[in-house]
């Protein structure tokens, strides 16, 4: 018998937590994008686990779409990082403070 | 006790995947060097792929390796090398006072809430899905056929929308990362 779904769900929750902590504390925009990928992967793992548990293929189909959106998001995000780096020679989000009131 | 209730190989696979995922994730958030963090991210993605295979999502595991480890992490590494930001980030200092404590508190509350939600809920309703026409998805031998049927029938509109999304993303990335050579001399002269 396979391990229960709850184990994978707890693992996904922990992965989401680690990713969220990294997103909140790291300053480099590149590392923040990586933490975003961690959180997306945690959600994907949850979807696949529920797909197996509920015996429904829709979960896997949605994971497929999440992967496409993640790829698009990373492409545009890294484009923005490159554009910002051209202007201020840094990827630290602390230095992007023009909008500060 | 546990070994009698669940088969040993599935437990071994789960522990392997969990170790890969958590060690890689902690590496991503704690390593100072961006290249090391990206390599650590590959480890996590591989662990997630192992978990996908263990739950009979073979196609998604292959896509996970090809798209994430093969394309996204390579894109990360390319940008790191291209910008030359492969220097260490000082993570010992805390720019905002109490930021890490608040972040840790918020994350702890979130994760505890998620786990409590799982522990108190009963997800398996016994009702078969409508999208797969009441057929349970096949396990153990891959379900690429069911996934393909679902993507190309139930989710056909979303599938076509992803094509438009990818085109927009490519155009946007080119537009953002382009170096504007023609306007540069005019700004200097004027």
């Amino acid at each position: 018998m396979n391990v229960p779904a709850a184990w994978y769900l707890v693992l996904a929750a922990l992965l989401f937590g680690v990713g969220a902590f990294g997103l909140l504390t790291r300053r480099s925009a590149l590392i923040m994008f990586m933490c975003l990928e961690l959180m997306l992967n945690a959600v994907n793992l949850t979807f696949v686990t529920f797909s197996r548990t509920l015996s429904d293929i829709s979960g896997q189909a949605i994971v497929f779409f999440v992967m496409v959106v993640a790829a698009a998001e990373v492409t545009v995000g890294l484009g923005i990082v490159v554009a910002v780096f051209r202007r201020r020679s840094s990827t630290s989000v602390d230095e992007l403070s023009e909008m500060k009131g | 006790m546990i070994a009698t209730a669940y088969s040993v190989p599935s437990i071994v696979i789960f522990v392997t995947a969990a170790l890969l995922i958590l060690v890689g994730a902690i590496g991503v958030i704690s390593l100072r060097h961006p290249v090391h963090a990206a390599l650590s991210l590959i480890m996590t993605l591989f662990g997630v792929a192992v978990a996908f295979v263990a739950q009979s999502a073979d196609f998604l595991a292959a896509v996970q390796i090809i798209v994430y480890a093969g394309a996204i992490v390579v894109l990360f590494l390319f940008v790191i090398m291209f910008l030359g930001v492969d220097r260490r980030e000082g993570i010992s200092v805390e720019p905002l006072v109490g930021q890490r404590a608040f972040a840790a508190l918020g994350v702890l509350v979130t994760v505890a809430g998620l786990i409590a939600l799982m522990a108190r809920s009963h997800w398996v309703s016994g009702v078969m899905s409508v999208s797969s026409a009441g057929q349970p998805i096949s396990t153990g031998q891959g379900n690429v056929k069911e996934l393909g049927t679902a993507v190309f029938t139930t989710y056909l509109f979303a599938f076509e929308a992803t094509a438009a999304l990818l085109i927009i993303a490519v155009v946007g990335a080119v537009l953002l990362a382009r170096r504007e050579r023609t306007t540069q001399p005019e700004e200097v002269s004027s």
Side-chain angles (χ1 to χ4, degrees):
Chain A
M1 189 184 168
N2 209 340
V3 296
W7 293 17
Y8 281 105
L9 294 178
V10 170
L11 176 63
L14 289 177
L15 178 59
F16 187 87
V18 171
F21 183 75
L23 185 70
L24 289 171
T25 52
R26 292 301 293 264
R27 315 243 62 84
S28 163
L30 285 165
I31 305 281
M32 289 172 79
F33 270 116
M34 291 181 200
C35 293
L36 215 58
E37 295 304 312
L38 291 183
M39 293 164 78
L40 283 170
N41 268 281
V43 175
N44 281 353
L45 187 55
T46 311
F47 267 123
V48 169
T49 304
F50 277 127
S51 168
R52 185 197 66 165
T53 310
L54 303 175
S55 194
D56 188 339
I57 200 70
S58 302
Q60 295 191 19
I62 289 173
V63 169
F64 180 73
F65 294 126
V66 169
M67 283 179 179
V68 175
V69 173
E73 168 247 331
V74 164
T75 312
V76 175
L78 290 181
I80 292 173
V81 168
V82 170
V84 168
F85 188 84
R86 286 239 172 83
R87 288 187 177 267
R88 21 196 70 238
S89 300
S90 168
T91 59
S92 173
V93 291
D94 274 348
E95 298 180 14
L96 302 176
S97 55
E98 288 92 349
M99 304 273 283
K100 194 172 170 182
Chain B
M1 22 187 256
I2 294 177
T4 55
Y6 311 112
S7 71
V8 177
S10 69
I11 294 176
V12 171
I13 291 170
F14 174 79
V15 170
T16 310
L19 277 180
L20 281 172
I21 289 172
L22 290 180
V23 170
I26 289 171
V28 170
I29 67 165
S30 61
L31 289 176
R32 296 179 183 183
H33 208 291
V35 176
H36 294 170
L39 296 178
S40 206
L41 181 64
I42 290 184
M43 191 165 149
T44 298
L45 300 175
F46 199 78
V48 173
V50 170
F52 282 0
V53 170
Q55 307 197 68
S56 66
D58 301 347
F59 175 73
L60 290 178
V63 172
Q64 173 89 6
I65 296 294
I66 294 168
V67 171
Y68 268 110
I72 291 184
V73 175
V74 169
L75 194 62
F76 271 117
L77 288 174
F78 178 77
V79 169
I80 290 168
M81 306 283 178
F82 176 66
L83 297 181
V85 288
D86 53 342
R87 53 173 175 264
R88 291 161 187 275
E89 174 195 359
I91 57 171
S92 53
V93 292
E94 200 176 15
L96 292 173
V97 178
Q99 186 194 17
R100 288 198 185 149
F102 277 115
L105 185 69
V107 166
L108 272 181
V109 168
T110 307
V111 172
L114 280 174
I115 293 176
L117 190 68
M118 284 172 217
R120 294 174 60 85
S121 305
H122 187 64
W123 297 100
V124 184
S125 60
V127 179
M128 283 302 153
S129 66
V130 287
S131 61
S132 54
Q135 298 289 324
I137 61 174
S138 58
T139 55
Q141 52 196 2
N143 38 36
V144 181
K145 196 176 168 190
E146 287 101 327
L147 181 59
T149 309
V151 166
F152 282 104
T153 55
T154 315
Y155 299 101
L156 184 62
F157 181 71
F159 182 72
E160 296 295 336
T162 56
L165 176 71
L166 285 177
I167 293 292
I168 293 168
V170 168
V171 173
V174 170
L175 210 63
L176 283 168
R178 189 176 53 136
R179 195 189 296 268
E180 297 187 11
R181 288 209 178 86
T182 53
T183 56
Q184 207 80 10
E186 292 174 6
E187 286 175 359
V188 171
S189 61
S190 66

